[in-house]
């Protein structure tokens, strides 16, 4: 147990101070996001992530938003387990036809007002998979999309910038 | 028995059983062609020799279907083929002999309409409701656009296994899961907290990869292969490129092979770090999750700096790689390794001595070596249950043919074993990267382009090959056949998850429902790689 505390103390807080020059950018971005969320969403915004057919690359980078470097929750953005608790659906992947009904139901289960963010090139335009017997292509072919974040996959920083764009149009 | 003998032995036995084998030599693999009515008999003889079932797929050539199955023992791969007529395509199933062939044959049944006789479970698998029962997407007369409805209905009437009795209840989970993970459906039958049965229903992220691969150029196929499973982008891209290069008779420059090795081992380390954190997180041990996600992030930042992409997508191309690793980059990579080792030396003792982790991870999710062997379980899941199998050692390919390394092995078969085998694999991977970097210095004196990419040659129409590499989840096989004009006629990638998913149904038995997430994470199958 002591080793554990020692490691915690030794590691300290790594969360985006100035370890990398880029981190200033992240900090600034985060503060902007936080200000908008405070003003427009009473301090917090809840995201339900839906993989509608992704290769899992986008999920890995979205998960990274929760690592101690980005720690996106400190800006008031948190990921929730149910669409019923969500303000925003963050959808990845081309929408596979086998996920189409599930995505529609998730969308319907999300209370109004709600926003949909299509994250990654596949979600934005179908990407490498396009439209076929198995794929509906872009998320906007299935549900209305408010915001697109490009990238294959978008980096955590690109995801944060995208989310800022959504709440500060 | 020496390693080359099992094929001779098996051929003898096939001969005694009056099965005629036509032997055809392919680049890097031997093809055995038999009559379709002997398909199951072959499997019965092969399993007596402890030959492992590797992969199965089909292909249409005019009015015939080629049905393929790949087998391996001691690093020697045999591609078995039979031909059936398109009018009445049927043959005896190998699934009663090799359980690993079960879902693969169901996939072939759904995609080609080939009937596997006496299959123990011939329910649909990949097909939900996106196409009709009597249409088969991988047949040549099926257009890539298909005839989908505006809204594909959900697959509500899949005949799940039922359980009856006092106190037995059912828990449906998914396809949309609670975390930031891929979609799939799990159906539990439970009594109290105990899992009586688990049934997986996958196929939700079926994107038609095999179909949209047809007609692509090698470069375009490599891009697609890099998106079969985002966490295995290096592994799949390498396997596909290896198959294409073998078919075209191209040798990759040594320097490019070394860089591919570095990429693959970096991918392995990044994923294992993520998994080790996630396993601990699933038993609410957040300390480890925070430490490992921190280390993973640092690792990915170096990927970005050195290779230009955090997940290393599209770094491997047919003929070689696109990224040079300069001397400065080598120094950075080496420093990174030293740093990671130091961090791990502090974190691992803190984890090792933690009783709450021991309580949850030891003996949970037990997979016996017998079941692991019967299903041909791959990668860290197999190796945690004593399956001593690794393509890098058993069928070495460049750059693994000139390095020393030890295959990590555990034999307890529980979640803790799958955790520790990953740790051992990280250590082995770090040593491999160091050896590759050392060897990089010895290659040179050519122009950068020559060192990194061999010139592409259009392979003759009809040439085929099997690319086999060890991805971070285990053995990946990619089958390629070329058409005329440098176009792909058939691509079948077999992710290790296809073989590993079925054992999750076994290792969760008699565990409690709340332990399912950690059982699942300890296996960490790819949904996208399975569904294709």
């Amino acid at each position: 147990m002591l080793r554990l505390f020692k490691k915690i103390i030794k590691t300290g807080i790594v969360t985006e101070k100035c370890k990398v020059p880029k981190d200033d950018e992240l900090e600034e971005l985060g503060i902007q996001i936080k200000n908008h969320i405070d003003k427009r969403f009473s301090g917090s915004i809840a995201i339900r992530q839906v993989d509608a057919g992704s290769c899992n690359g986008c999920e890995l980078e979205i998960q990274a938003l929760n690592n101690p470097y980005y720690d996106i929750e400190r800006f008031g953005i948190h990921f929730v387990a149910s669409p019923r608790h969500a303000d925003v659906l963050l959808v990845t992947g081309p929408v596979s036809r086998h996920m189409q009904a599930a995505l529609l139901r998730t969308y319907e289960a999300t209370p109004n007002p709600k926003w949909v963010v299509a994250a990654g090139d596949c979600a934005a335009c179908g990407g490498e998979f396009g439209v076929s017997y198995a794929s509906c292509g872009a998320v906007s072919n299935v549900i209305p999309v408010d915001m697109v974040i490009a990238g294959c996959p978008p980096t955590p920083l690109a995801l944060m910038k995208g989310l800022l764009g959504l709440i500060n149009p | 028995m020496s390693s080359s003998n099992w094929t001779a032995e098996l051929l003898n036995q096939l001969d005694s059983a009056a099965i005629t084998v036509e032997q055809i030599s392919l680049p890097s693999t031997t093809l055995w062609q038999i009559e379709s009515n002997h398909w199951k008999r072959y499997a019965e003889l092969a399993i007596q020799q402890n030959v492992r079932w590797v992969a199965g797929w089909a292909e249409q050539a005019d009015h015939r279907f080629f049905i393929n199955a790949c087998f391996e023992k001691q690093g020697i791969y045999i591609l078995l083929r039979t031909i059936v007529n398109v009018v009445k395509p049927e043959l005896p199933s190998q699934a009663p002999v090799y359980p690993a062939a079960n879902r693969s044959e169901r996939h072939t049944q759904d995609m080609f309409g080939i009937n596997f006789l006496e299959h123990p479970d011939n329910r649909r698998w990949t097909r939900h409701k996106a196409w009709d029962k009597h249409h088969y997407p991988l047949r040549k007369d099926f257009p890539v656009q298909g005839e989908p409805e505006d809204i594909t209905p959900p697959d509500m009437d899949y005949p799940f296994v039922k359980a009856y009795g006092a106190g037995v209840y059912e828990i449906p989970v998914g396809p949309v899961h609670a975390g930031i993970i891929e979609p799939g459906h799990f159906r539990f039958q439970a009594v109290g907290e105990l899992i009586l049965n688990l049934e997986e229903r996958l196929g939700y992220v079926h994107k038609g990869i095999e179909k949209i691969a047809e007609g692509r150029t090698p470069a375009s196929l490599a891009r697609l292969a890099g998106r079969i499973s985002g966490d295995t982008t290096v592994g799949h891209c390498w396997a596909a490129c290896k198959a294409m290069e073998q078919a075209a008779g191209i040798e990759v420059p040594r320097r490019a092979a070394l860089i591919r090795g570095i990429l693959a081992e970096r991918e392995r380390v990044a994923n294992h770090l993520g998994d080790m954190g996630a396993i601990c997180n699933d038993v609410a041990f957040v300390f480890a999750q925070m430490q490992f996600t921190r280390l993973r992030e640092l690792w990915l930042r170096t990927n970005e700096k050195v290779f230009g992409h955090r997940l290393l997508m599209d770094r491997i191309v047919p003929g070689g790689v696109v990224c040079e690793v300069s001397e400065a980059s080598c120094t950075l990579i080496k420093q990174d390794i030293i740093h990671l080792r130091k961090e791990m030396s502090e974190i691992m003792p803190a984890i090792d001595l933690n009783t709450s982790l021991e309580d949850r991870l030891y003996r949970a999710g037990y997979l016996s070596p017998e079941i692991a062997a019967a299903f041909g379980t791959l990668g860290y899941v197999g190796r945690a249950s004593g399956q001593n199998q690794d393509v890098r050692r058993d069928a070495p390919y460049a750059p693994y043919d000139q390095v020393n390394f030890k295959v990590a092995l555990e034999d307890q078969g529980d979640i803790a074993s799958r955790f520790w085998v990953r740790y051992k694999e990280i250590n082995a991977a770090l040593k491999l990267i160091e050896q590759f970097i050392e060897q990089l210095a010895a290659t040179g004196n050519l122009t950068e382009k020559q060192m990194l990419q061999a010139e592409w040659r259009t392979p003759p129409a009809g040439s085929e090959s099997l690319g086999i590499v060890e991805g971070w989840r285990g053995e990946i096989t990619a089958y390629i056949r070329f058409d005329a004009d440098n176009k792909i006629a058939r691509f079948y990638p077999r992710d290790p998850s296809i073989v590993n998913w079925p054992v999750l149904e076994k290792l969760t038995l008699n565990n409690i429902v709340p332990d399912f997430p950690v059982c699942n994470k300890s296996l960490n199958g790819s949904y996208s790689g399975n569904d294709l």
Side-chain angles (χ1 to χ4, degrees):
Chain A
M1 208 60 191
L2 282 174
R3 284 174 197 266
L4 195 150
F5 290 129
K6 188 179 159 203
K7 182 67 188 167
I8 291 173
I9 291 161
K10 198 175 160 197
T11 304
I13 296 168
V14 297
T15 309
E16 290 308 34
K17 295 216 174 118
C18 296
K19 294 215 164 169
V20 192
K22 229 182 178 181
D23 295 359
D24 287 339
E25 190 189 344
L26 174 59
E27 193 79 352
E28 206 177 294
L29 190 62
I31 290 164
Q32 282 183 51
I33 293 177
K34 177 101 178 64
N35 288 341
H36 287 291
I37 289 176
D38 284 351
K39 217 186 294 169
R40 299 170 57 124
F41 296 90
S42 305
S44 96
I45 191 165
I47 297 181
R48 170 68 247 213
Q49 195 271 336
V50 183
D51 175 342
S54 148
C55 74
N56 196 30
C58 292
E59 279 61 42
L60 294 174
E61 292 297 58
I62 294 169
Q63 281 168 8
L65 290 173
N66 285 323
N67 79 33
Y69 283 95
Y70 302 101
D71 188 19
I72 196 170
E73 212 160 307
R74 72 200 149 118
F75 302 127
I77 297 177
H78 60 285
F79 289 91
V80 292
S82 167
R84 299 200 191 278
H85 303 158
D87 305 303
V88 173
L89 289 183
L90 182 61
V91 187
T92 61
V95 182
S96 72
R97 300 213 180 262
H98 291 169
M99 276 301 286
Q100 191 182 12
L103 178 62
L104 282 166
R105 287 179 181 191
T106 307
Y107 181 74
E108 282 156 19
T110 312
N112 279 317
K114 58 190 164 196
W115 291 266
V116 174
V117 179
D121 288 347
C122 295
C125 68
E128 201 63 38
F129 303 99
V131 177
S132 73
Y133 78 94
S135 163
C136 307
V139 174
S140 58
N141 293 346
V142 178
I143 53 175
V145 169
D146 300 282
M147 166 90 209
V148 161
I149 303 174
C152 185
T155 61
L157 212 59
L159 287 163
M160 285 183 71
K161 281 183 183 161
L163 290 171
L164 175 64
L166 174 76
I167 54 190
N168 181 27
Chain B
M1 195 169 71
S2 83
S3 60
S4 58
N5 262 349
W6 73 265
T7 50
E9 181 102 353
L10 185 56
L11 281 172
N12 274 340
Q13 289 192 353
L14 289 164
D15 192 45
S16 322
I19 299 176
T20 320
V21 179
E22 192 186 339
Q23 294 189 52
I24 302 162
S25 181
L26 293 183
S28 82
T29 323
T30 306
L31 170 67
W32 290 1
Q33 196 160 302
I34 60 172
E35 293 286 326
S36 62
N37 54 342
H38 295 138
W39 195 245
K40 184 184 176 191
R41 186 73 191 123
Y42 172 91
E44 286 167 348
L45 294 172
I47 206 167
Q48 284 171 17
Q49 305 265 347
N50 289 319
V51 176
R52 181 171 62 90
W53 183 94
V54 174
W57 67 96
E59 188 187 0
Q60 186 176 3
D62 299 324
H63 296 293
R64 299 175 305 168
F65 289 120
F66 291 0
I67 292 140
N68 303 295
C70 182
F71 296 84
E72 183 265 356
K73 187 180 172 182
Q74 293 159 343
I76 298 172
Y77 289 82
I78 295 291
L79 177 54
L80 184 72
R81 175 170 297 161
T82 192
I83 299 174
V84 295
N85 198 295
V86 87
V87 180
K88 198 186 176 197
E90 58 179 34
L91 73 169
S93 164
Q94 293 185 334
V97 184
Y98 282 104
N102 188 314
R103 288 179 183 172
S104 165
E105 289 185 351
R106 289 165 70 187
H107 176 73
T108 301
Q109 199 158 293
D110 288 350
M111 303 305 283
F112 284 95
I114 293 166
N115 191 12
F116 288 89
L117 304 168
E118 291 173 49
H119 191 289
D121 173 10
N122 61 2
R123 290 174 295 172
R124 63 181 185 273
W125 176 246
T126 307
R127 178 170 63 84
H128 289 202
K129 299 278 182 185
W131 64 93
D132 184 74
K133 189 180 177 180
H134 302 292
H135 289 121
Y136 307 106
L138 287 179
R139 287 198 180 183
K140 296 290 181 199
D141 59 3
F142 187 99
V144 69
Q145 291 304 325
E147 295 168 352
E149 294 175 52
D150 283 346
I151 296 174
T152 300
D155 190 20
M156 299 290 280
D157 50 0
Y158 182 75
F160 283 100
V161 171
K162 299 272 182 214
Y164 302 94
V168 180
Y169 65 101
E170 208 169 66
I171 312 172
V173 179
V176 179
H177 294 160
I180 304 171
I181 51 170
E182 298 181 85
H185 184 89
F186 299 107
R187 185 68 61 98
F188 298 93
Q189 273 90 30
V191 170
E193 287 200 309
L194 206 67
I195 299 170
L196 287 184
N197 189 51
L198 160 65
E199 200 178 349
E200 296 157 4
R201 175 80 181 120
L202 304 177
Y204 286 93
V205 286
H206 174 70
K207 295 184 277 289
I209 287 173
E210 291 168 88
K211 188 77 177 177
I212 61 174
E214 292 173 9
R216 286 190 178 226
T217 61
S220 162
L221 185 85
R223 275 186 65 81
L224 181 66
R227 284 154 185 82
I228 289 167
S229 177
D231 50 25
T232 320
T233 176
V234 173
H236 273 292
C237 197
W238 192 349
C241 286
K242 191 163 172 253
M244 290 191 285
E245 287 150 7
Q246 285 168 177
I250 287 173
E251 189 161 347
V252 174
R254 184 75 193 164
R255 191 172 180 84
L258 288 165
I259 294 173
R260 284 180 174 186
I262 296 172
L263 292 168
E265 297 309 316
R266 287 194 68 88
E267 178 169 89
R268 188 181 319 277
V269 171
N271 280 301
H272 282 350
L273 286 172
D275 276 4
M276 288 169 76
I279 288 171
C280 295
N281 192 50
D282 276 347
V283 293
F285 192 71
V286 182
F287 163 76
Q289 160 84 341
M290 287 298 137
Q291 294 292 343
F292 285 120
T293 54
R294 179 174 67 83
L295 296 177
R296 180 183 150 91
E297 176 66 24
L298 291 172
W299 196 254
L300 296 189
R301 287 181 180 191
T302 302
N303 280 352
E304 168 87 58
K305 248 184 252 162
V306 175
F307 302 99
H309 194 283
R310 282 164 58 92
L311 302 183
L312 308 173
M313 276 179 174
D314 306 326
R315 304 300 98 176
I316 292 178
V317 292
V321 293
V322 291
C323 46
E324 169 62 324
V325 181
S326 66
E327 247 173 76
S329 298
C330 288
T331 313
L332 180 63
I333 292 173
K334 280 194 274 189
Q335 282 169 353
D336 239 29
I337 291 174
I338 294 168
H339 178 251
L340 181 61
R341 281 207 183 104
K342 186 170 174 296
E343 293 272 4
M344 294 295 264
S345 73
E346 291 168 0
I347 296 168
M348 296 311 284
I351 287 177
D352 194 16
L353 298 171
N354 190 284
T355 44
S356 75
L357 264 186
E358 278 182 8
D359 184 43
R360 296 294 300 279
L361 301 186
Y362 283 88
R363 295 191 304 281
Y366 175 66
L367 177 69
S368 71
E370 293 75 31
I371 293 180
F375 280 83
T377 313
L378 295 168
Y380 50 80
V381 184
R383 291 195 278 269
S385 290
Q387 304 305 302
N388 196 351
Q389 189 267 340
D390 192 316
V391 187
R392 294 173 294 174
R393 181 202 56 201
D394 302 339
Y397 48 99
Y400 296 100
D401 50 354
Q402 289 177 31
V403 287
N404 298 314
F405 87 107
K406 220 177 135 195
V407 175
L409 206 63
E410 291 269 328
D411 54 10
Q412 284 175 22
D414 54 8
I415 295 174
S417 277
R418 292 191 279 279
F419 178 87
W420 284 100
V421 95
R422 282 172 164 100
Y423 172 60
K424 287 184 182 173
E425 287 192 9
I426 288 178
N427 285 334
L430 296 181
K431 283 187 194 150
L432 279 170
I433 296 173
E434 285 172 333
Q435 293 181 60
F436 293 150
I437 284 182
E438 231 169 75
Q439 294 181 16
L440 266 185
T443 63
N445 291 340
L446 291 169
T447 66
E448 189 173 298
K449 174 87 179 157
Q450 282 168 322
M451 286 192 294
L452 296 182
Q453 274 182 48
E455 202 178 323
W456 185 255
R457 281 197 298 268
T458 301
S463 45
E464 53 182 325
S465 184
L466 202 53
I468 303 167
V469 302
E470 185 77 15
W472 74 274
R473 276 197 184 87
E475 171 201 67
I476 298 172
T477 63
Y479 173 80
I480 296 269
R481 183 193 291 279
F482 274 97
D483 221 331
D485 304 328
N486 213 20
K487 295 280 165 56
I488 301 295
R490 177 80 172 108
F491 173 50
Y492 176 73
R494 204 277 285 121
D495 190 88
S497 310
I498 290 177
V499 181
N500 283 359
W501 271 118
V503 299
L504 180 65
E505 290 180 351
K506 305 293 171 197
L507 65 86
T508 45
L509 293 180
N510 293 321
N511 282 262
I512 56 173
V513 177
D515 272 355
F516 172 71
V518 67
C519 287
N520 189 13
K521 199 61 193 176
S522 75
L523 183 131
N524 194 11
S526 163
Y527 298 72
S528 183
N530 179 84
D531 298 349
L532 295 178

